[in-house]
């Protein structure tokens, strides 16, 4: 939580959160899939030890779960080829931002505490993602204003 008291570039923020998630719940892979507009398909923005849902094919169970979770209020548990995944939606209020996908280690399943922890990281990530995007928008506006003022 201390980390989120400051605004960070989006890529740095996502990678840092994934590192912490992997360490805390002893997972072996994780990824953030973000929505970049209304009705978008979530795109992998950051990953650690994770090939991704799109690499598995658009019609794979994992890709379908990522798409479903992006519009859901609750997380999804998924077992694919002996691997256990949890996919949690990342949203701030009504604004859907994407999903956090975490893969358990080989032969391991997430317990209730792990699932609560992963969901909490998803909620914290939503705050950071929102703040990071607001900062990026502010920087763009500031740059545009500087360009206009330079012309005058």
């Amino acid at each position: 939580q201390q980390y989120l008291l400051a605004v960070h570039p989006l890529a740095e923020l996502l990678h840092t959160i994934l590192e912490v998630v992997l360490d805390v719940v002893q997972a072996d892979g994780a990824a953030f899939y973000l929505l970049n507009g209304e009705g978008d398909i979530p795109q992998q923005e950051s990953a650690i030890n994770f090939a991704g849902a799109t690499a598995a094919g658009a019609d794979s169970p994992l890709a379908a779960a990522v798409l479903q979770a992006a519009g859901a209020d609750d997380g999804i548990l998924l077992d694919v080829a002996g691997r256990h995944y949890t996919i949690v939606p990342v949203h701030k209020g009504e604004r859907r931002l994407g999903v956090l996908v975490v893969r358990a280690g080989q032969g391991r399943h997430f317990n209730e505490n792990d699932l609560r922890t992963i969901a909490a990281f998803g909620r914290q990530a939503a705050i950071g993602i929102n703040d990071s995007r607001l900062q990026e928008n502010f920087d763009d506006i500031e740059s545009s204003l500087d360009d206009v003022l330079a012309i005058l």
Side-chain angles (χ1 to χ4, degrees), residues 4-53:
L4 293 175
L5 291 177
V7 178
H8 302 278
L10 186 59
E12 174 190 324
L13 170 81
L14 297 177
H15 188 79
T16 300
I17 292 172
L18 290 176
E19 286 178 328
V20 175
V21 168
L22 290 175
D23 184 51
V24 170
V25 299
Q26 300 176 356
D28 76 351
F32 275 107
Y33 289 80
L34 298 185
L35 296 163
N36 293 316
E38 292 300 317
D40 277 353
I41 295 174
Q43 298 297 313
Q44 191 179 84
E45 291 290 329
S46 185
I48 298 176
N49 299 329
F50 197 86

Side-chain angles (χ1 to χ4, degrees), residues 19-148:
E19 286 178 328
V20 175
V21 168
L22 290 175
D23 184 51
V24 170
V25 299
Q26 300 176 356
D28 76 351
F32 275 107
Y33 289 80
L34 298 185
L35 296 163
N36 293 316
E38 292 300 317
D40 277 353
I41 295 174
Q43 298 297 313
Q44 191 179 84
E45 291 290 329
S46 185
I48 298 176
N49 299 329
F50 197 86
T54 52
D59 58 348
S60 75
L62 183 56
V66 165
L67 189 57
Q68 179 183 350
D73 290 327
D74 297 317
I76 297 170
L77 298 175
L78 182 68
D79 284 305
V80 177
R83 300 307 298 264
H84 186 72
Y85 297 84
T86 185
I87 303 113
V88 297
V90 176
H91 52 85
K92 184 159 175 33
E94 295 298 315
R95 186 164 180 229
R96 307 267 177 212
L97 301 171
V99 298
L100 168 60
V101 180
V102 184
R103 183 182 61 225
Q106 187 70 35
R108 184 172 181 276
H109 289 271
F110 294 118
N111 61 40
E112 286 300 316
N113 191 45
D114 293 334
L115 296 174
R116 280 191 298 276
T117 300
I118 293 166
F121 276 110
R123 289 188 298 273
Q124 292 295 316
I127 294 166
I129 292 166
N130 191 61
D131 290 350
S132 180
R133 285 182 171 169
L134 286 173
Q135 183 65 45
E136 288 173 1
N137 288 341
F138 178 76
D139 291 344
D140 289 345
I141 291 168
E142 185 178 41
S143 177
S144 295
L145 183 57
D146 287 344
D147 291 346
V148 169

